Amino acid sequence: QVQLVESGGGSVQAGGSLKLSCAGSAYITEQCGMGWFRQAPGKEREKVATIAGDSGTSYADSVKGRFTISKDNAEATQYLQMNSLKPEDTAMYYCAARLYGGSCPTFRGYNYWGQGTQVTVS
């Protein structure tokens, strides 16, 4: 069983910054990587950013140039640095990981989710 624990959400004014953290397992952080998703009220969940085991990253177009995903293998933690925040970034943010029988094939969906952390931009 994989437990993901997010922290770092809060309320900030537009243009401000927040840094989210997600503590997971050492294996997943180093070998598999993780992702960040968000869901605003009345909207579908969307992928924000992902980081692979080899630290390759991808971002939603809406956050490119403003958000940075990173990980610390030694701390078994991934991060999402969010700068130049906009009101439309307001959502519940979730970290996610995939682990299937000891491996993490990228063609499989994320099957472990954190409890979420609220980000509110006014």
Side-chain angles (χ1 to χ4, degrees), residues 52-113:
D54 63 2
S55 297
T57 59
S58 68
Y59 296 91
D61 288 342
S62 59
V63 306
K64 281 180 181 177
R66 300 188 298 121
F67 291 11
T68 303
I69 189 170
S70 62
K71 65 187 180 87
D72 185 328
N73 293 336
E75 296 293 328
T77 300
Q78 73 159 349
Y79 304 95
L80 185 68
Q81 177 67 48
M82 304 184 295
N83 298 328
S84 301
L85 282 161
K86 304 175 181 180
E88 51 263 44
D89 295 318
T90 295
M92 185 72 77
Y93 283 70
Y94 300 90
C95 70
R98 57 168 70 91
L99 187 65
Y100 294 88
S103 66
C104 40
T106 55
F107 61 85
R108 301 290 297 273
Y110 290 94
N111 57 337
Y112 289 98
W113 297 85

